[in-house]
Amino acid sequence: MIRKQRRSLSLLTASILAALTVPAWAAEPFVVRDIRVEGLQRVEPGTVFGYLPVRVGETFDDTKGSEAIKTLYNTGFFKDVQIRSENGVLVVVVEERPAISQLDFVGIKEFDKDTLRRSLRAVGVAEARSYDRSMIERAEQELKRQYVARGYYAAEVQSTVTPIERNRVSVVFNVDEGSVAKIREINFIGNKVFKESTLRDEMQLATPNWLSWYTKNDLYSKQKLTADLEALRSFYLNRGYLEFAIESTQVSITPDKKDIALTINIKEGEQYKVSDINFSGELLGKQEEMEKLLKLKKGDVFSSEKLTETTKAITDLLGTYGYAFTTINPQPQINQETREVALTLVVDPGRRVYVRRINVVGNNKTRDEVVRREMRQFESSWFDGEKLKLSQDRINRTGYFTDTNITTEDVPGAPDQVDVNVNVTERPTGQLTLGLGFSSTDKLVLQAGIKQENVFGSGTSLGLDINTGKAFRTLSVNHHDPYFTIDGISRTTDLYYRTSRPLYYAGNGDQDYKVVSAGGGVKFGVPFSELDTVFFGIGYENTKLDVTNNTPQAYRDFVRDFGRQTHNFPFTIGWARDGRDSALVPTKGRYQQANLEVGVPGGDLQYYRGSYQHQYYYPLSKAFTLAFNGEIAYGRGYAGKAFPVFKNYFAGGIGSVRGYDTASLGPKEANGDPIGGASKLIANVEFIFPLPGSGVDRTLRLFTFFDAGNVYGEKENYNLSELRYSTGLGLSWLSPIGPLKLSVGFPLRRKPDDRTQRFQFQIGTAF
């Protein structure tokens, strides 16, 4: 075995010794009749010929001999090179360096071996490459650097090189990781205004605590320290300390390399207030609009964050007029005596820019037109940053993409033009189900269906659904075209045959009540603004009720008044306003919808049922979102007829009030079976945050929730004292088969006749 050792000869020494071996011909040049290479095993002869400074028929002398030896050594392929002549034949004798046949690691726990192999390749050490002792030493240092970056300052690395057949070697890195060094102290010198605890809260690095096993923030990192120093600087600048400076930082480690102490020496200076704010430069007649965007006012404590928000708002404003490259240069004038600062915002709008071309990238399946019809920035028009933002939101709201990124790039030779690149990341929009499924309410379910939300990339959806659940059975076909007309009128067509047994939710398994509905309808959506759409629809329903003497009285009363079979022509009108940044995983914005369904004369049923829903998403940060949802619904019969019992609203379970059994809240029959109600009131609050270890992945998130709600009978008024409450936590996942939600709920106000269900799941809805 070959242990760690110094190179026996440096490149210069090897070249000199090799040159001394050149025979007497070196002093006497000769014409080369042929060239022969000896000693090659893996290197191709052509490689050697390519490096030689002489060809057949040329004169070879001692200068070219020295150059040839030096050049061949520098390739790194050979550890010995000799040149001699035999009757005009130039003979090149080489001894190749061994090749690395195997690269392995022993004692590695902190890193994945493949990750380390990739990092060593960057320093020239990899399988199939030539063995070089100096490269191995560099690899050892690289491994130590990787460990130091993660706080393993005591890590030791030693390599073992073993020769094997066919001039190859096996390289094994033996690693003693040792224990990770933790930050035991973070001290500040020079702070008078703020306590050390306040400053530590602004830092990512921290001393060990109960969450350190996950955050790793107690492990020193130069990159983290640099970021923390910037965070401290921003903290002071946002509070008016313009003279703040970090004078020095000291990082000390104990002799056993297990503990680290950080000492940060700062100068706070004095707090400054804003004495005045003025504009200069090319204001383009927009000064009055710019002044309305000021986040800082005269007399306010200076804030770097508010100044940045101001410059961004002005940049966005001028961007709507085609000035895509606006720069705002704040120039402060500091008065140390009065501790005030006067700000002058120098505006340079640059040139007005036009959009030459819009390029759609990443849509392997979706047609360009599906993306382009959502664009509100047009080619050959002024660049408008606000329209680009609106375009991005509209593309995200289609639901066909997990992410949309819009960038601009200059057009070479055209300083007043830019190209807009729309880069989308497609998500699977097709769903094929065949086989057995499981539902928290229906237990074992046979499902078969096919649904494609983006048929052939056209932006239309087509679905066929079959469900054999015991509570609900469905056979339906639906088609939705969001651009039925070129100006954005949508059309939705559906045909269905449904069987429902609402009492099955009660858990008694009764088969004595069943609603069978068959029908269809068509609905059109007319956009009235970028966010607002009004819907109109008409349909036909044929409904049959099967009842027995065991069926709750409300259902038997309906059959007595209307008969077992009814015909209904429901007319619907609705409104929706969607201002969310995404239809699948919203993080900000509002969604509102109102719907009214009326059983028109000509059918057997005369009723109306209206509902209103309002969702609001507030981003607390890039990773955390606070979401609110409220729903209110109300239904009554008219023309002297009762409200149809099978049009009742239900509440309870995921999608309404979690923690209670599905559809179990509200009015009940004498035997305790829930029958729903003609009106409903629901409220939900969710705090959404990323799954630990997933970064800011929006497709997989955790949430905590607080729910409230109930349903009320036709002759009841809304009664807040009858609301049910629950809290809990859950997981939402944008799975390949649709949005999936799992929740564990805990009822907070449970009445004796309430049924609870802790674990629930649902595929489809946002709340």
Side-chain angles (χ1 to χ4, degrees):
M1 300 178 66
I2 303 175
R3 294 292 182 181
K4 184 186 296 186
Q5 58 183 355
R6 295 181 177 275
R7 298 181 62 183
S8 59
L9 293 175
S10 66
L11 177 61
L12 179 61
T13 304
S15 300
I16 294 174
L17 292 176
L20 293 176
T21 65
V22 178
W25 53 259
E28 299 179 3
F30 66 97
V31 177
V32 177
R33 294 192 300 106
D34 195 10
I35 301 176
R36 187 170 74 248
V37 182
E38 298 179 354
L40 293 179
Q41 298 183 29
R42 296 180 311 277
V43 180
E44 294 293 330
T47 302
V48 178
F49 293 146
Y51 283 105
L52 288 176
V54 66
R55 300 291 183 267
V56 174
E58 296 180 356
T59 301
F60 188 83
D61 54 23
D62 56 351
T63 301
K64 291 183 178 180
S66 298
E67 182 182 351
I69 293 175
K70 182 178 180 181
T71 302
L72 290 174
Y73 267 111
N74 288 338
T75 64
F77 298 145
F78 312 109
K79 65 179 181 180
D80 187 31
V81 178
Q82 296 183 15
I83 295 180
R84 67 175 183 267
S85 65
E86 295 179 359
N87 299 322
V89 177
L90 183 65
V91 181
V92 181
V93 182
V94 297
E95 183 180 353
E96 292 184 1
R97 293 183 184 276
I100 299 176
S101 175
Q102 182 181 4
L103 196 64
D104 202 1
F105 305 89
V106 176
I108 298 291
K109 297 179 182 178
E110 182 67 16
F111 293 94
D112 177 70
K113 291 185 178 181
D114 290 336
T115 301
L116 293 181
R117 287 190 178 96
R118 286 192 294 269
S119 66
L120 295 188
R121 182 178 293 275
V123 298
V125 176
E127 293 178 353
R129 290 191 178 182
S130 297
Y131 165 75
D132 187 331
R133 183 66 231 176
S134 64
M135 292 294 184
I136 299 300
E137 292 174 353
R138 288 179 58 187
E140 293 175 359
Q141 296 303 316
E142 172 63 18
L143 288 178
K144 289 183 179 180
R145 188 191 67 79
Q146 295 274 3
Y147 274 98
V148 168
R150 296 202 180 185
Y152 288 84
Y153 291 90
E156 294 291 336
V157 180
Q158 185 176 18
S159 60
T160 300
V161 182
T162 306
I164 57 179
E165 71 279 359
R166 299 200 306 274
N167 197 28
R168 297 178 301 161
V169 295
S170 173
V171 180
V172 178
F173 291 95
N174 300 283
V175 180
D176 180 8
E177 293 183 337
S179 58
V180 62
K182 299 182 182 295
I183 299 175
R184 296 300 177 184
E185 294 181 8
I186 300 179
N187 302 310
F188 290 89
I189 298 176
N191 58 305
K192 300 177 181 178
V193 181
F194 298 102
K195 298 179 180 178
E196 285 194 358
S197 59
T198 302
L199 299 181
R200 291 193 194 101
D201 290 341
E202 298 299 315
M203 300 178 62
Q204 184 178 1
L205 293 176
T207 53
N209 54 52
W210 67 274
L211 202 58
S212 295
W213 64 270
Y214 169 68
T215 64
K216 308 292 185 183
N217 286 339
D218 59 340
L219 307 182
Y220 171 76
S221 166
K222 184 177 181 181
Q223 292 79 8
K224 288 183 181 180
L225 178 60
T226 301
D228 285 344
L229 296 180
E230 287 300 318
L232 290 172
R233 185 175 287 106
S234 297
F235 175 80
Y236 273 93
L237 289 178
N238 291 336
R239 288 156 180 78
Y241 293 89
L242 291 175
E243 298 174 334
F244 172 80
I246 298 175
E247 297 186 332
S248 65
T249 57
Q250 297 177 358
V251 182
S252 57
I253 186 169
T254 57
D256 60 5
K257 298 183 179 181
K258 292 184 178 180
D259 296 324
I260 291 177
L262 298 179
T263 302
I264 303 174
N265 194 342
I266 64 175
K267 175 187 175 183
E268 292 180 326
E270 301 293 339
Q271 188 182 62
Y272 284 79
K273 293 186 177 182
V274 178
S275 62
D276 198 7
I277 301 179
N278 297 303
F279 291 93
S280 68
E282 299 183 43
L283 305 182
L284 305 175
K286 308 295 181 184
Q287 181 171 347
E288 185 176 345
E289 295 181 56
M290 295 179 187
E291 290 176 348
K292 294 179 180 179
L293 300 175
L294 291 174
K295 304 297 182 182
L296 284 171
K297 300 292 190 296
K298 183 178 179 179
D300 290 350
V301 174
F302 175 83
S303 170
S304 176
E305 182 179 10
K306 291 183 178 180
L307 179 59
T308 301
E309 292 176 359
T310 297
T311 57
K312 184 180 184 304
I314 296 174
T315 300
D316 292 343
L317 170 67
L318 296 183
T320 62
Y321 295 99
Y323 297 93
F325 302 105
T326 299
T327 58
I328 312 294
N329 183 24
Q331 294 183 351
Q333 295 179 344
I334 298 176
N335 188 329
Q336 294 182 337
E337 294 182 358
T338 61
R339 299 176 186 173
E340 293 180 328
V341 56
L343 297 173
T344 301
L345 304 182
V346 182
V347 180
D348 180 11
R351 60 189 183 277
R352 175 171 277 181
V353 175
Y354 296 82
V355 174
R356 182 188 70 164
R357 184 180 298 121
I358 297 176
N359 304 310
V360 181
V361 184
N363 55 323
N364 299 321
K365 181 184 72 173
T366 307
R367 300 172 189 173
D368 273 18
E369 64 178 293
V370 175
V371 178
R372 291 182 181 276
R373 67 193 184 189
E374 305 298 336
M375 294 294 297
R376 293 302 177 260
Q377 170 71 68
F378 301 114
E379 295 176 342
S380 301
S381 65
W382 289 346
F383 172 91
D384 190 329
E386 185 175 329
K387 289 183 177 179
L388 278 182
K389 179 62 173 63
L390 176 60
S391 300
Q392 181 171 330
D393 289 344
R394 288 183 62 89
I395 293 171
N396 282 331
R397 285 197 290 266
T398 64
Y400 307 146
F401 314 103
T402 58
D403 188 37
T404 303
N405 184 30
I406 298 180
T407 59
T408 60
E409 61 177 333
D410 294 338
V411 176
D416 62 341
Q417 294 183 2
V418 295
D419 285 341
V420 174
N421 298 319
V422 183
N423 197 324
V424 297
T425 303
E426 292 182 321
R427 77 174 186 92
T429 55
Q431 177 182 347
L432 175 65
T433 58
L434 181 63
L436 296 176
F438 182 82
S439 166
S440 59
T441 56
D442 289 339
K443 309 308 178 189
L444 197 60
V445 180
L446 175 63
Q447 295 177 319
I450 183 171
K451 184 177 182 180
Q452 175 55 257
E453 297 178 5
N454 188 11
V455 180
F456 306 118
S458 64
T460 65
S461 66
L462 179 65
L464 169 65
D465 294 316
I466 301 173
N467 191 318
T468 63
K470 293 182 179 180
F472 291 100
R473 295 187 178 186
T474 303
L475 172 61
S476 67
V477 180
N478 61 80
H479 178 263
H480 175 69
D481 185 353
Y483 279 81
F484 176 63
T485 65
I486 194 172
D487 50 359
I489 295 178
S490 66
R491 183 190 66 183
T492 302
T493 308
D494 67 294
L495 298 172
Y496 58 87
Y497 180 88
R498 300 188 181 103
T499 300
S500 64
R501 292 184 173 90
L503 296 189
Y504 184 75
Y505 284 130
N508 56 26
D510 288 344
Q511 304 296 315
D512 56 3
Y513 169 59
K514 180 172 65 174
V515 179
V516 180
S517 298
V522 60
K523 182 169 65 175
F524 296 92
V526 182
F528 276 78
S529 73
E530 295 292 351
L531 303 178
D532 298 277
T533 304
V534 175
F535 299 94
F536 305 90
I538 188 68
Y540 168 75
E541 288 181 336
N542 181 294
T543 305
K544 296 180 181 179
L545 277 74
D546 294 333
V547 298
T548 68
N549 292 331
N550 295 325
T551 302
Q553 189 63 43
Y555 304 111
R556 286 185 284 162
D557 289 346
F558 181 87
V559 172
R560 181 196 62 204
D561 296 337
F562 294 94
R564 290 184 61 253
Q565 180 171 317
T566 59
H567 302 274
N568 181 33
F569 297 94
F571 172 77
T572 58
I573 182 172
W575 162 80
R577 180 180 180 86
D578 194 348
R580 298 171 297 176
D581 59 341
S582 172
L584 293 172
V585 281
T587 60
K588 63 180 178 180
R590 299 177 186 270
Y591 175 78
Q592 301 175 71
Q593 66 170 355
N595 293 284
L596 176 64
E597 178 184 325
V598 180
V600 298
D604 298 325
L605 307 177
Q606 276 78 55
Y607 68 94
Y608 63 87
R609 62 201 300 254
S611 64
Y612 172 74
Q613 180 183 23
H614 191 147
Q615 295 179 358
Y616 176 56
Y617 298 87
Y618 180 75
L620 300 174
S621 68
K622 187 176 181 179
F624 300 94
T625 301
L626 196 60
F628 302 89
N629 176 67
E631 296 179 61
I632 186 170
Y634 185 84
R636 290 291 185 271
Y638 71 93
K641 295 190 176 182
F643 185 75
V645 65
F646 54 82
K647 292 288 184 178
N648 274 352
Y649 296 102
F650 289 87
I654 196 165
S656 57
V657 186
R658 288 159 283 200
Y660 294 89
D661 202 359
T662 303
S664 66
L665 296 181
K668 296 179 175 61
E669 286 293 322
N671 62 357
D673 292 336
I675 60 173
S679 56
K680 178 176 69 170
L681 194 61
I682 299 293
N684 313 95
V685 180
E686 287 187 359
F687 173 64
I688 307 169
F689 53 97
L691 185 71
S694 66
V696 292
D697 183 6
R698 296 173 62 185
T699 64
L700 183 62
R701 300 181 295 176
L702 298 175
F703 60 88
T704 59
F705 64 84
F706 176 81
D707 294 341
N710 209 339
V711 295
Y712 305 90
E714 184 177 6
K715 298 180 181 180
E716 293 181 280
N717 295 321
Y718 292 110
N719 187 350
L720 299 183
S721 64
E722 291 297 322
L723 289 178
R724 300 296 191 270
Y725 304 97
S726 67
T727 187
L729 53 90
L731 178 144
S732 63
W733 174 37
L734 186 59
S735 72
I737 61 173
L740 172 66
K741 268 197 171 182
L742 308 175
S743 71
V744 179
F746 304 92
L748 299 178
R749 189 183 185 187
R750 180 182 177 183
K751 295 295 181 66
D753 58 346
D754 289 340
R755 296 185 175 95
T756 61
Q757 187 180 58
R758 294 291 176 87
F759 176 77
Q760 296 168 325
F761 71 88
Q762 182 185 58
I763 297 179
T765 60
F767 267 90

